[in-house]
Amino acid sequence: MSGVRTETSGGTLVVTIDRPRARNAVNAEVAQGIAAAVDRLESDPGLRVGVLTGADGTFCAGMDLKAAARGEQVTVPGKGFAGLVEAATTKPLIAAVEGHALGGGFELALACDLVVAAEGARFALPEVRRGLIAAGGGVVRLPRRVPHHLAMELLLTGRTVTAGRARELGVVNRLTPDGGALPAALELAAEIAANAPLALAAVKRTVRLADGVPEPEAFAAQTAEAGALLRSADFAEGVRAFTEKRAPQWSGR
């Protein structure tokens, strides 16, 4: 779909927002394109990890205000802004950030499970400067990712922070030289993809459910997930591979 292109690298689906003249801002085509890519990632058993990035050295400048003014829908039912921020994905997602991740762009990064950023990357949620709030998940997710008062500072000032500062805050997993975010994200994706797909999905479900629920409820969910994995063919294969000193051959069952 126009505005988004996809390609595979081993078991990784690379999703690139491709509107460089608009700083990869999200319009209807981008939202639909990302949503379609998410559906492909979820439905294809040969794909284990997704990487989201932007073309030509910019991650995403957020919502395309001109497109929104024309009445374009930048949300997708069931998946939210940009076809991702409210999507219940089961496979790991990595944001590979170069340049600016502003507003909805930062929210797309926050919707991913890991963030790799180039040293020149910049992050901000400037919506309050336009009379809005970061309603694509920024006001919900940022306080869960960083200490409360630091999150409030960014949300209330709209201030831009460097990739280095984002790493200090715990938002960024890996920092790379400029131009290195995607290769580093692919390296991380390959490391993740080597693990059992059922276990990866169980980690995501358990972490999502445990966020904000009482501890006994979280442990009950964790026990149920672990019990299901103990009965899986992948667990049996993992044990065999360990004893036979070889790489496991996962079946996803």
Side-chain angles (χ1 to χ4, degrees), residues 37-84:
V38 169
D39 288 342
R40 178 183 173 187
L41 175 66
E42 290 292 299
S43 64
D44 188 339
L47 296 172
R48 302 290 178 83
V49 183
V51 171
L52 178 65
T53 193
D56 290 3
T58 295
F59 184 67
C60 175
M63 180 174 64
D64 186 328
L65 297 178
K66 293 181 180 179
R70 293 194 297 267
E72 291 190 24
Q73 292 297 315
V74 295
T75 63
V76 176
K79 293 185 173 67
F81 171 73
L84 177 62

mmCIF file of all heavy atoms in Angstrom, residues 37-84:
data_model
loop_
_atom_site.group_PDB
_atom_site.id
_atom_site.type_symbol
_atom_site.label_atom_id
_atom_site.label_comp_id
_atom_site.label_asym_id
_atom_site.label_seq_id
_atom_site.Cartn_x
_atom_site.Cartn_y
_atom_site.Cartn_z
ATOM 1 N N ALA A 37 0.159 -4.508 7.587
ATOM 2 C CA ALA A 37 1.432 -5.147 7.925
ATOM 3 C C ALA A 37 1.327 -5.893 9.251
ATOM 4 O O ALA A 37 1.873 -7.006 9.395
ATOM 5 C CB ALA A 37 2.542 -4.100 7.988
ATOM 6 N N VAL A 38 0.634 -5.307 10.216
ATOM 7 C CA VAL A 38 0.424 -5.976 11.501
ATOM 8 C C VAL A 38 -0.350 -7.274 11.297
ATOM 9 O O VAL A 38 -0.013 -8.317 11.876
ATOM 10 C CB VAL A 38 -0.314 -5.045 12.480
ATOM 11 C CG1 VAL A 38 -0.790 -5.811 13.719
ATOM 12 C CG2 VAL A 38 0.589 -3.889 12.899
ATOM 13 N N ASP A 39 -1.388 -7.230 10.462
ATOM 14 C CA ASP A 39 -2.162 -8.437 10.178
ATOM 15 C C ASP A 39 -1.298 -9.504 9.524
ATOM 16 O O ASP A 39 -1.400 -10.699 9.846
ATOM 17 C CB ASP A 39 -3.346 -8.108 9.271
ATOM 18 C CG ASP A 39 -4.437 -7.335 9.994
ATOM 19 O OD1 ASP A 39 -4.455 -7.347 11.248
ATOM 20 O OD2 ASP A 39 -5.273 -6.707 9.305
ATOM 21 N N ARG A 40 -0.438 -9.098 8.600
ATOM 22 C CA ARG A 40 0.458 -10.050 7.940
ATOM 23 C C ARG A 40 1.415 -10.676 8.949
ATOM 24 O O ARG A 40 1.625 -11.893 8.948
ATOM 25 C CB ARG A 40 1.239 -9.345 6.837
ATOM 26 C CG ARG A 40 2.232 -10.253 6.120
ATOM 27 C CD ARG A 40 3.042 -9.491 5.082
ATOM 28 N NE ARG A 40 4.093 -10.325 4.519
ATOM 29 C CZ ARG A 40 5.042 -9.891 3.697
ATOM 30 N NH1 ARG A 40 5.045 -8.621 3.330
ATOM 31 N NH2 ARG A 40 5.959 -10.719 3.247
ATOM 32 N N LEU A 41 1.997 -9.851 9.804
ATOM 33 C CA LEU A 41 2.917 -10.361 10.818
ATOM 34 C C LEU A 41 2.225 -11.369 11.718
ATOM 35 O O LEU A 41 2.782 -12.438 12.013
ATOM 36 C CB LEU A 41 3.461 -9.196 11.651
ATOM 37 C CG LEU A 41 4.360 -9.557 12.840
ATOM 38 C CD1 LEU A 41 5.654 -10.190 12.353
ATOM 39 C CD2 LEU A 41 4.662 -8.309 13.671
ATOM 40 N N GLU A 42 1.022 -11.054 12.143
ATOM 41 C CA GLU A 42 0.309 -11.924 13.067
ATOM 42 C C GLU A 42 -0.124 -13.237 12.424
ATOM 43 O O GLU A 42 -0.149 -14.273 13.087
ATOM 44 C CB GLU A 42 -0.914 -11.190 13.623
ATOM 45 C CG GLU A 42 -0.572 -10.062 14.580
ATOM 46 C CD GLU A 42 0.022 -10.565 15.885
ATOM 47 O OE1 GLU A 42 -0.652 -11.313 16.606
ATOM 48 O OE2 GLU A 42 1.179 -10.223 16.176
ATOM 49 N N SER A 43 -0.455 -13.204 11.151
ATOM 50 C CA SER A 43 -1.032 -14.387 10.502
ATOM 51 C C SER A 43 -0.006 -15.317 9.870
ATOM 52 O O SER A 43 -0.305 -16.488 9.616
ATOM 53 C CB SER A 43 -2.040 -13.958 9.428
ATOM 54 O OG SER A 43 -1.394 -13.231 8.391
ATOM 55 N N ASP A 44 1.187 -14.840 9.599
ATOM 56 C CA ASP A 44 2.203 -15.647 8.916
ATOM 57 C C ASP A 44 3.087 -16.354 9.940
ATOM 58 O O ASP A 44 3.872 -15.706 10.637
ATOM 59 C CB ASP A 44 3.061 -14.747 8.021
ATOM 60 C CG ASP A 44 4.010 -15.533 7.126
ATOM 61 O OD1 ASP A 44 4.307 -16.702 7.443
ATOM 62 O OD2 ASP A 44 4.482 -14.968 6.124
ATOM 63 N N PRO A 45 2.996 -17.680 10.051
ATOM 64 C CA PRO A 45 3.808 -18.390 11.047
ATOM 65 C C PRO A 45 5.299 -18.331 10.765
ATOM 66 O O PRO A 45 6.111 -18.592 11.653
ATOM 67 C CB PRO A 45 3.286 -19.831 10.956
ATOM 68 C CG PRO A 45 2.703 -19.945 9.590
ATOM 69 C CD PRO A 45 2.133 -18.592 9.278
ATOM 70 N N GLY A 46 5.673 -17.981 9.549
ATOM 71 C CA GLY A 46 7.094 -17.861 9.212
ATOM 72 C C GLY A 46 7.713 -16.560 9.676
ATOM 73 O O GLY A 46 8.937 -16.405 9.650
ATOM 74 N N LEU A 47 6.869 -15.618 10.120
ATOM 75 C CA LEU A 47 7.355 -14.333 10.615
ATOM 76 C C LEU A 47 7.313 -14.337 12.135
ATOM 77 O O LEU A 47 6.283 -14.649 12.733
ATOM 78 C CB LEU A 47 6.505 -13.189 10.070
ATOM 79 C CG LEU A 47 6.550 -12.997 8.548
ATOM 80 C CD1 LEU A 47 5.524 -11.960 8.111
ATOM 81 C CD2 LEU A 47 7.955 -12.575 8.108
ATOM 82 N N ARG A 48 8.423 -13.997 12.771
ATOM 83 C CA ARG A 48 8.525 -14.077 14.222
ATOM 84 C C ARG A 48 8.564 -12.716 14.899
ATOM 85 O O ARG A 48 8.147 -12.577 16.042
ATOM 86 C CB ARG A 48 9.793 -14.862 14.605
ATOM 87 C CG ARG A 48 9.854 -16.281 14.041
ATOM 88 C CD ARG A 48 8.857 -17.186 14.705
ATOM 89 N NE ARG A 48 8.875 -18.521 14.148
ATOM 90 C CZ ARG A 48 9.743 -19.482 14.498
ATOM 91 N NH1 ARG A 48 10.683 -19.220 15.382
ATOM 92 N NH2 ARG A 48 9.659 -20.682 13.958
ATOM 93 N N VAL A 49 9.111 -11.710 14.200
ATOM 94 C CA VAL A 49 9.318 -10.388 14.795
ATOM 95 C C VAL A 49 9.021 -9.316 13.755
ATOM 96 O O VAL A 49 9.262 -9.525 12.559
ATOM 97 C CB VAL A 49 10.777 -10.228 15.289
ATOM 98 C CG1 VAL A 49 10.978 -8.888 15.984
ATOM 99 C CG2 VAL A 49 11.174 -11.374 16.225
ATOM 100 N N GLY A 50 8.520 -8.173 14.204
ATOM 101 C CA GLY A 50 8.310 -7.036 13.312
ATOM 102 C C GLY A 50 9.225 -5.888 13.688
ATOM 103 O O GLY A 50 9.505 -5.664 14.870
ATOM 104 N N VAL A 51 9.717 -5.172 12.689
ATOM 105 C CA VAL A 51 10.519 -3.967 12.905
ATOM 106 C C VAL A 51 9.830 -2.820 12.185
ATOM 107 O O VAL A 51 9.531 -2.915 10.989
ATOM 108 C CB VAL A 51 11.954 -4.138 12.373
ATOM 109 C CG1 VAL A 51 12.698 -2.801 12.417
ATOM 110 C CG2 VAL A 51 12.707 -5.181 13.185
ATOM 111 N N LEU A 52 9.555 -1.750 12.908
ATOM 112 C CA LEU A 52 8.920 -0.565 12.339
ATOM 113 C C LEU A 52 9.955 0.539 12.228
ATOM 114 O O LEU A 52 10.639 0.865 13.199
ATOM 115 C CB LEU A 52 7.759 -0.100 13.220
ATOM 116 C CG LEU A 52 7.021 1.163 12.771
ATOM 117 C CD1 LEU A 52 6.309 0.943 11.443
ATOM 118 C CD2 LEU A 52 6.025 1.601 13.844
ATOM 119 N N THR A 53 10.056 1.141 11.041
ATOM 120 C CA THR A 53 11.021 2.214 10.835
ATOM 121 C C THR A 53 10.450 3.230 9.852
ATOM 122 O O THR A 53 9.317 3.094 9.380
ATOM 123 C CB THR A 53 12.371 1.636 10.343
ATOM 124 O OG1 THR A 53 13.375 2.634 10.426
ATOM 125 C CG2 THR A 53 12.265 1.104 8.917
ATOM 126 N N GLY A 54 11.240 4.259 9.551
ATOM 127 C CA GLY A 54 10.806 5.285 8.605
ATOM 128 C C GLY A 54 11.836 5.480 7.511
ATOM 129 O O GLY A 54 13.034 5.203 7.703
ATOM 130 N N ALA A 55 11.392 5.947 6.373
ATOM 131 C CA ALA A 55 12.283 6.122 5.221
ATOM 132 C C ALA A 55 13.119 7.390 5.336
ATOM 133 O O ALA A 55 12.721 8.371 5.975
ATOM 134 C CB ALA A 55 11.448 6.177 3.938
ATOM 135 N N ASP A 56 14.287 7.350 4.711
ATOM 136 C CA ASP A 56 15.142 8.523 4.524
ATOM 137 C C ASP A 56 15.507 9.263 5.808
ATOM 138 O O ASP A 56 15.487 10.495 5.877
ATOM 139 C CB ASP A 56 14.484 9.501 3.540
ATOM 140 C CG ASP A 56 14.472 8.957 2.115
ATOM 141 O OD1 ASP A 56 14.911 7.809 1.909
ATOM 142 O OD2 ASP A 56 14.022 9.683 1.217
ATOM 143 N N GLY A 57 15.842 8.511 6.841
ATOM 144 C CA GLY A 57 16.414 9.131 8.024
ATOM 145 C C GLY A 57 15.458 9.805 8.975
ATOM 146 O O GLY A 57 15.890 10.537 9.868
ATOM 147 N N THR A 58 14.159 9.590 8.813
ATOM 148 C CA THR A 58 13.166 10.116 9.754
ATOM 149 C C THR A 58 12.221 9.000 10.137
ATOM 150 O O THR A 58 11.735 8.275 9.263
ATOM 151 C CB THR A 58 12.361 11.272 9.148
ATOM 152 O OG1 THR A 58 13.235 12.374 8.901
ATOM 153 C CG2 THR A 58 11.261 11.730 10.094
ATOM 154 N N PHE A 59 11.959 8.854 11.423
ATOM 155 C CA PHE A 59 11.040 7.808 11.864
ATOM 156 C C PHE A 59 9.603 8.198 11.525
ATOM 157 O O PHE A 59 8.998 7.650 10.620
ATOM 158 C CB PHE A 59 11.202 7.563 13.364
ATOM 159 C CG PHE A 59 10.354 6.435 13.881
ATOM 160 C CD1 PHE A 59 10.598 5.130 13.494
ATOM 161 C CD2 PHE A 59 9.313 6.679 14.772
ATOM 162 C CE1 PHE A 59 9.815 4.086 13.964
ATOM 163 C CE2 PHE A 59 8.527 5.646 15.255
ATOM 164 C CZ PHE A 59 8.778 4.338 14.853
ATOM 165 N N CYS A 60 9.061 9.193 12.230
ATOM 166 C CA CYS A 60 7.686 9.621 11.961
ATOM 167 C C CYS A 60 7.417 10.923 12.693
ATOM 168 O O CYS A 60 7.710 11.055 13.886
ATOM 169 C CB CYS A 60 6.693 8.548 12.427
ATOM 170 S SG CYS A 60 4.957 9.019 12.278
ATOM 171 N N ALA A 61 6.859 11.897 11.982
ATOM 172 C CA ALA A 61 6.543 13.204 12.561
ATOM 173 C C ALA A 61 5.151 13.251 13.164
ATOM 174 O O ALA A 61 4.645 14.326 13.481
ATOM 175 C CB ALA A 61 6.679 14.285 11.493
ATOM 176 N N GLY A 62 4.516 12.086 13.313
ATOM 177 C CA GLY A 62 3.196 12.041 13.940
ATOM 178 C C GLY A 62 2.063 12.125 12.942
ATOM 179 O O GLY A 62 2.206 11.781 11.775
ATOM 180 N N MET A 63 0.927 12.604 13.389
ATOM 181 C CA MET A 63 -0.251 12.706 12.533
ATOM 182 C C MET A 63 -0.065 13.783 11.481
ATOM 183 O O MET A 63 0.436 14.873 11.766
ATOM 184 C CB MET A 63 -1.483 13.024 13.386
ATOM 185 C CG MET A 63 -2.773 13.159 12.605
ATOM 186 S SD MET A 63 -4.223 13.353 13.671
ATOM 187 C CE MET A 63 -3.875 14.926 14.460
ATOM 188 N N ASP A 64 -0.478 13.466 10.262
ATOM 189 C CA ASP A 64 -0.460 14.445 9.183
ATOM 190 C C ASP A 64 -1.652 15.379 9.391
ATOM 191 O O ASP A 64 -2.799 15.016 9.121
ATOM 192 C CB ASP A 64 -0.568 13.723 7.833
ATOM 193 C CG ASP A 64 -0.410 14.662 6.655
ATOM 194 O OD1 ASP A 64 -0.805 15.837 6.772
ATOM 195 O OD2 ASP A 64 0.097 14.219 5.608
ATOM 196 N N LEU A 65 -1.384 16.582 9.894
ATOM 197 C CA LEU A 65 -2.461 17.511 10.234
ATOM 198 C C LEU A 65 -3.250 17.941 9.010
ATOM 199 O O LEU A 65 -4.468 18.149 9.085
ATOM 200 C CB LEU A 65 -1.885 18.725 10.959
ATOM 201 C CG LEU A 65 -1.215 18.436 12.311
ATOM 202 C CD1 LEU A 65 -0.643 19.718 12.891
ATOM 203 C CD2 LEU A 65 -2.203 17.803 13.283
ATOM 204 N N LYS A 66 -2.567 18.083 7.877
ATOM 205 C CA LYS A 66 -3.277 18.459 6.655
ATOM 206 C C LYS A 66 -4.238 17.358 6.221
ATOM 207 O O LYS A 66 -5.365 17.626 5.802
ATOM 208 C CB LYS A 66 -2.276 18.755 5.541
ATOM 209 C CG LYS A 66 -1.429 20.004 5.782
ATOM 210 C CD LYS A 66 -0.471 20.239 4.627
ATOM 211 C CE LYS A 66 0.381 21.486 4.863
ATOM 212 N NZ LYS A 66 1.347 21.705 3.750
ATOM 213 N N ALA A 67 -3.794 16.111 6.336
ATOM 214 C CA ALA A 67 -4.665 14.989 5.974
ATOM 215 C C ALA A 67 -5.859 14.914 6.916
ATOM 216 O O ALA A 67 -6.993 14.680 6.493
ATOM 217 C CB ALA A 67 -3.872 13.683 6.006
ATOM 218 N N ALA A 68 -5.585 15.128 8.212
ATOM 219 C CA ALA A 68 -6.675 15.089 9.191
ATOM 220 C C ALA A 68 -7.677 16.200 8.919
ATOM 221 O O ALA A 68 -8.895 16.002 9.053
ATOM 222 C CB ALA A 68 -6.108 15.212 10.601
ATOM 223 N N ALA A 69 -7.174 17.376 8.511
ATOM 224 C CA ALA A 69 -8.065 18.491 8.207
ATOM 225 C C ALA A 69 -8.937 18.190 7.006
ATOM 226 O O ALA A 69 -10.055 18.726 6.892
ATOM 227 C CB ALA A 69 -7.251 19.758 7.967
ATOM 228 N N ARG A 70 -8.440 17.330 6.107
ATOM 229 C CA ARG A 70 -9.237 16.916 4.942
ATOM 230 C C ARG A 70 -10.244 15.830 5.293
ATOM 231 O O ARG A 70 -11.025 15.411 4.445
ATOM 232 C CB ARG A 70 -8.320 16.404 3.833
ATOM 233 C CG ARG A 70 -7.427 17.457 3.202
ATOM 234 C CD ARG A 70 -6.808 16.936 1.911
ATOM 235 N NE ARG A 70 -5.940 15.793 2.150
ATOM 236 C CZ ARG A 70 -4.620 15.880 2.355
ATOM 237 N NH1 ARG A 70 -4.033 17.080 2.396
ATOM 238 N NH2 ARG A 70 -3.899 14.803 2.550
ATOM 239 N N GLY A 71 -10.215 15.387 6.522
ATOM 240 C CA GLY A 71 -11.155 14.364 6.957
ATOM 241 C C GLY A 71 -10.636 12.945 6.838
ATOM 242 O O GLY A 71 -11.394 11.989 7.029
ATOM 243 N N GLU A 72 -9.350 12.791 6.537
ATOM 244 C CA GLU A 72 -8.798 11.442 6.435
ATOM 245 C C GLU A 72 -8.768 10.775 7.809
ATOM 246 O O GLU A 72 -8.462 11.410 8.814
ATOM 247 C CB GLU A 72 -7.381 11.472 5.855
ATOM 248 C CG GLU A 72 -7.331 11.872 4.397
ATOM 249 C CD GLU A 72 -5.952 11.651 3.781
ATOM 250 O OE1 GLU A 72 -5.192 10.806 4.297
ATOM 251 O OE2 GLU A 72 -5.642 12.324 2.782
ATOM 252 N N GLN A 73 -9.069 9.480 7.828
ATOM 253 C CA GLN A 73 -9.057 8.728 9.067
ATOM 254 C C GLN A 73 -7.658 8.170 9.320
ATOM 255 O O GLN A 73 -7.160 7.366 8.534
ATOM 256 C CB GLN A 73 -10.071 7.574 9.007
ATOM 257 C CG GLN A 73 -11.514 8.029 8.979
ATOM 258 C CD GLN A 73 -11.882 8.772 10.254
ATOM 259 O OE1 GLN A 73 -11.561 8.350 11.362
ATOM 260 N NE2 GLN A 73 -12.578 9.895 10.092
ATOM 261 N N VAL A 74 -7.038 8.621 10.390
ATOM 262 C CA VAL A 74 -5.692 8.140 10.715
ATOM 263 C C VAL A 74 -5.731 7.092 11.815
ATOM 264 O O VAL A 74 -4.703 6.697 12.350
ATOM 265 C CB VAL A 74 -4.768 9.306 11.117
ATOM 266 C CG1 VAL A 74 -4.553 10.238 9.935
ATOM 267 C CG2 VAL A 74 -5.343 10.069 12.315
ATOM 268 N N THR A 75 -6.935 6.643 12.156
ATOM 269 C CA THR A 75 -7.099 5.530 13.077
ATOM 270 C C THR A 75 -7.755 4.372 12.340
ATOM 271 O O THR A 75 -8.436 4.577 11.330
ATOM 272 C CB THR A 75 -7.957 5.907 14.298
ATOM 273 O OG1 THR A 75 -9.277 6.255 13.849
ATOM 274 C CG2 THR A 75 -7.345 7.081 15.048
ATOM 275 N N VAL A 76 -7.539 3.184 12.845
ATOM 276 C CA VAL A 76 -8.113 1.965 12.264
ATOM 277 C C VAL A 76 -8.904 1.253 13.356
ATOM 278 O O VAL A 76 -8.379 1.040 14.458
ATOM 279 C CB VAL A 76 -7.007 1.043 11.721
ATOM 280 C CG1 VAL A 76 -7.601 -0.271 11.214
ATOM 281 C CG2 VAL A 76 -6.236 1.740 10.606
ATOM 282 N N PRO A 77 -10.154 0.902 13.092
ATOM 283 C CA PRO A 77 -10.956 0.229 14.124
ATOM 284 C C PRO A 77 -10.240 -0.995 14.699
ATOM 285 O O PRO A 77 -9.732 -1.844 13.963
ATOM 286 C CB PRO A 77 -12.225 -0.179 13.365
ATOM 287 C CG PRO A 77 -12.344 0.844 12.276
ATOM 288 C CD PRO A 77 -10.926 1.125 11.852
ATOM 289 N N GLY A 78 -10.177 -1.058 16.011
ATOM 290 C CA GLY A 78 -9.543 -2.185 16.681
ATOM 291 C C GLY A 78 -8.040 -2.065 16.821
ATOM 292 O O GLY A 78 -7.423 -2.799 17.595
ATOM 293 N N LYS A 79 -7.433 -1.124 16.073
ATOM 294 C CA LYS A 79 -5.981 -0.963 16.129
ATOM 295 C C LYS A 79 -5.554 0.455 16.507
ATOM 296 O O LYS A 79 -4.381 0.689 16.782
ATOM 297 C CB LYS A 79 -5.347 -1.356 14.797
ATOM 298 C CG LYS A 79 -5.465 -2.843 14.460
ATOM 299 C CD LYS A 79 -4.708 -3.177 13.193
ATOM 300 C CE LYS A 79 -4.672 -4.681 12.930
ATOM 301 N NZ LYS A 79 -5.989 -5.225 12.633
ATOM 302 N N GLY A 80 -6.474 1.394 16.493
ATOM 303 C CA GLY A 80 -6.171 2.741 16.942
ATOM 304 C C GLY A 80 -5.358 3.561 15.968
ATOM 305 O O GLY A 80 -5.296 3.260 14.758
ATOM 306 N N PHE A 81 -4.726 4.608 16.499
ATOM 307 C CA PHE A 81 -3.948 5.527 15.673
ATOM 308 C C PHE A 81 -2.870 4.767 14.903
ATOM 309 O O PHE A 81 -2.176 3.898 15.424
ATOM 310 C CB PHE A 81 -3.293 6.601 16.544
ATOM 311 C CG PHE A 81 -2.295 7.454 15.807
ATOM 312 C CD1 PHE A 81 -2.727 8.403 14.890
ATOM 313 C CD2 PHE A 81 -0.934 7.287 16.007
ATOM 314 C CE1 PHE A 81 -1.811 9.190 14.193
ATOM 315 C CE2 PHE A 81 -0.012 8.059 15.327
ATOM 316 C CZ PHE A 81 -0.456 9.015 14.410
ATOM 317 N N ALA A 82 -2.734 5.118 13.627
ATOM 318 C CA ALA A 82 -1.714 4.557 12.730
ATOM 319 C C ALA A 82 -1.823 3.048 12.580
ATOM 320 O O ALA A 82 -0.879 2.391 12.131
ATOM 321 C CB ALA A 82 -0.312 4.936 13.201
ATOM 322 N N GLY A 83 -2.976 2.495 12.930
ATOM 323 C CA GLY A 83 -3.170 1.059 12.754
ATOM 324 C C GLY A 83 -2.345 0.210 13.685
ATOM 325 O O GLY A 83 -2.178 -0.989 13.439
ATOM 326 N N LEU A 84 -1.847 0.818 14.800
ATOM 327 C CA LEU A 84 -0.964 0.052 15.671
ATOM 328 C C LEU A 84 -1.150 0.301 17.162
ATOM 329 O O LEU A 84 -1.105 -0.653 17.944
ATOM 330 C CB LEU A 84 0.501 0.336 15.311
ATOM 331 C CG LEU A 84 1.558 -0.343 16.204
ATOM 332 C CD1 LEU A 84 1.433 -1.868 16.102
ATOM 333 C CD2 LEU A 84 2.961 0.101 15.824
#
